[in-house]
């Protein structure tokens, strides 16, 4: 299979850390980033293509976006927005563990997004590999990708697991070395099940990656992802570095408690560029 290739010269990402007092401030800032980037993308390219995560941390962010719609504020161009997922559990779309269901209930049913713009990972009635292949085809068709080329999402929103996983890229997983496929279905030994996930080349080809990280239980993983050291280069979240884009870390104070004074001293809700280069 042909190795995926970049279409531009890789450069160090712009990395920004923003630390918020709590989950609500974080969610508000995430919604504001979504709005700003949606408007820019629609103005420049006619559409905004976003990939959303599972997990619980993004739920306030989804609720904020839905709340803006109800309040008639924010003016998000939903008709021009295409929603994909970064990963999915091997469950039907109506299952409580479904990432599709989670986003659909918390957001999509409450905003005027055309059904055709909702690109969920279809797991029902398929093998894990079959579901991954179908989603790869959906992405290739939507982005009209020539063989070996990568999709370029405008925004990929990610969470962070306490073990440093992101999307469904877990520590030690073969999926981390994938450089030919866009979507894979790794068996997650510790969960005893497969997951469907986009691969690192897809993540790292995004214009913007926005991590949402909350809670003290994430502080160790966050510090390792940002500061490295102690074999952290194999940490999935640390391997997320957009090749030609922006890496935004939106975190709350509890999650930030193990960050170095150097980073913390610089970080503000308004955000601070952590680097022209490596952190
Ligand atoms: C999933 C996610 C996963 C999630 C992290 C953090 O399907 O579970 O995509 O990567 O973002 O596990 O989850 P929490 O936000 O619930 O801590």
């Amino acid at each position: 299979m042909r190795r995926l290739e970049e279409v531009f010269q890789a450069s160090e990402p712009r990395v920004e850390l923003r630390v918020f007092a709590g989950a609500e401030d974080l969610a508000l800032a995430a919604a504001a980033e979504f709005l700003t980037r949606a408007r820019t993308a629609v103005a420049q390219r006619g559409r905004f293509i976003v990939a959303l995560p599972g997990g619980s941390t993004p739920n306030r962010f989804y609720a904020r976006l839905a709340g803006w719609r109800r309040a008639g504020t924010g003016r998000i161009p939903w008709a021009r927005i295409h929603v994909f997922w970064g990963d999915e559990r091997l469950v039907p779309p109506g299952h409580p563990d479904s990432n599709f269901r989670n986003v659909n209930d918390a957001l999509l049913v409450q905003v005027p997004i055309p059904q055709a713009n909702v690109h969920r990972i279809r797991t029902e009635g398929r093998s894990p590999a079959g579901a991954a292949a179908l989603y790869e085809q959906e992405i290739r068709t939507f982005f009209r990708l020539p063989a070996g080329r990568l999709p370029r999402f405008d925004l990929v929103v990610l969470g962070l697991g306490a073990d440093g996983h992101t999307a469904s890229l877990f520590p030690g997983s073969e999926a981390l070395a994938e450089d030919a496929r866009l979507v894979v279905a790794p068996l997650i030994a510790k969960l005893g099940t497969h997951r469907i996930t986009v691969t690192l080349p897809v993540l790292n080809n995004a214009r913007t990656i926005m991590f949402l990280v909350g809670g003290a239980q994430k502080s160790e993983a966050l510090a390792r992802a940002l500061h490295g050291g102690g074999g952290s280069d194999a940490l999935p979240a640390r391997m997320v570095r957009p090749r030609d884009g922006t890496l935004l870390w939106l975190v709350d104070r509890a999650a930030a408690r193990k960050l170095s004074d150097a980073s913390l001293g610089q970080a503000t809700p308004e955000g601070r560029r952590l680097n022209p280069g490596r952190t």
Side-chain angles (χ1 to χ4, degrees), residues 53-58 87 89 99 158-161 165-168 195 218:
S56 55
T57 308
D87 69 325
R89 291 84 180 277
N99 287 348
L158 292 172
L160 175 69
H165 81 261
T166 190
S168 281
R195 288 274 189 97
K218 304 292 176 70

Side-chain angles (χ1 to χ4, degrees), residues 11-238:
S11 58
E12 274 299 306
R14 171 193 164 92
V15 181
E16 199 175 313
L17 171 67
R18 301 174 64 187
V19 181
F20 298 90
E24 210 42 57
D25 295 350
L26 193 163
L28 179 58
E33 283 292 341
F34 183 98
L35 171 63
T36 306
R37 291 172 196 280
R39 287 189 169 161
T40 305
V42 169
Q44 292 176 353
R45 293 178 291 280
R47 63 188 187 175
F48 178 58
I49 312 166
V50 60
L52 297 175
S56 55
T57 308
N59 289 341
R60 288 171 190 266
F61 156 61
Y62 301 143
R64 271 284 168 182
L65 294 175
W68 283 353
R69 170 66 192 175
R70 280 193 305 278
T73 54
R75 303 242 166 282
I76 296 175
W78 287 107
R80 299 292 189 86
I81 296 180
H82 285 264
V83 173
F84 288 77
W85 276 258
D87 69 325
E88 185 57 282
R89 291 84 180 277
L90 211 62
V91 293
H95 191 283
D97 291 348
S98 160
N99 287 348
F100 161 73
R101 176 178 165 179
N102 182 41
V103 178
N104 199 47
D105 293 354
L107 175 61
L108 302 180
V109 294
Q110 305 182 48
V111 296
I113 188 168
Q115 270 309 308
N117 291 19
V118 176
H119 308 269
R120 70 177 177 87
I121 300 176
R122 296 176 184 281
T123 57
E124 58 275 28
R126 292 180 179 83
S127 68
L134 182 70
Y135 202 54
E136 171 145 352
Q137 196 46 54
E138 166 121 13
I139 292 172
R140 287 192 176 286
T141 305
F142 176 82
F143 284 93
R144 300 197 171 137
L145 291 177
R149 283 294 174 80
L150 288 162
R152 187 152 164 82
F153 285 91
D154 293 305
L155 176 65
V156 175
V157 185
L158 292 172
L160 175 69
D163 61 358
H165 81 261
T166 190
S168 281
L169 297 167
F170 282 76
S173 170
E174 285 170 7
L176 295 166
E178 181 62 47
D179 67 356
R181 287 171 291 170
L182 309 180
V183 185
V184 291
L187 173 63
I188 316 298
K190 68 178 186 180
L191 301 178
T193 182
H194 288 83
R195 288 274 189 97
I196 314 298
T197 185
V198 299
T199 56
L200 279 168
V202 172
L203 295 178
N204 289 335
N205 204 43
R207 285 190 169 83
T208 300
I209 292 181
M210 178 166 75
F211 274 98
L212 308 182
V213 186
Q217 74 281 12
K218 304 292 176 70
S219 56
E220 182 67 30
L222 180 63
R224 294 181 66 207
L226 278 177
H227 299 321
S232 298
D233 285 347
L235 203 73
R238 189 162 169 80

